[in-house]
Amino acid sequence: MNGELISWEEMIRRYPDKHVFVQNYIADGPNIRCGIVAEAVSSDEYDAALIRWYKSGKDYIHGFTGESSRMILPLWR
């Protein structure tokens, strides 16, 4: 997470089976096209991270890069 703009496909490759919180993103509806990964967390850490991001008021979108990422659209705020 070095502030680099990367594609959704690259996020899947770099952060397998993680929930990614993305800023400075380009999205087509709920589909993340690219963005800067600000945080990647495991499923065990997801609830706390989601609450933290929601309370931060920062603009973000989030998605899951695991196996279901090819079938289920990423979630967004």
Side-chain angles (χ1 to χ4, degrees), residues 5-21:
L5 183 70
I6 59 174
S7 68
W8 175 248
E9 291 76 17
E10 184 66 12
M11 290 179 208
I12 292 170
R13 190 182 73 71
R14 289 188 192 183
Y15 307 104
D17 296 319
K18 298 289 185 184
H19 297 271
V20 290
F21 292 83

Side-chain angles (χ1 to χ4, degrees), residues 16-53:
D17 296 319
K18 298 289 185 184
H19 297 271
V20 290
F21 292 83
V22 182
Q23 294 185 295
N24 301 326
Y25 57 87
I26 296 173
D28 179 15
N31 298 306
I32 300 171
R33 298 293 178 212
C34 62
I36 298 172
V37 176
E39 185 174 7
V41 298
S42 68
S43 292
D44 291 341
E45 303 166 302
Y46 174 70
D47 291 341
L50 182 61
I51 291 168
R52 185 173 57 253
W53 276 94

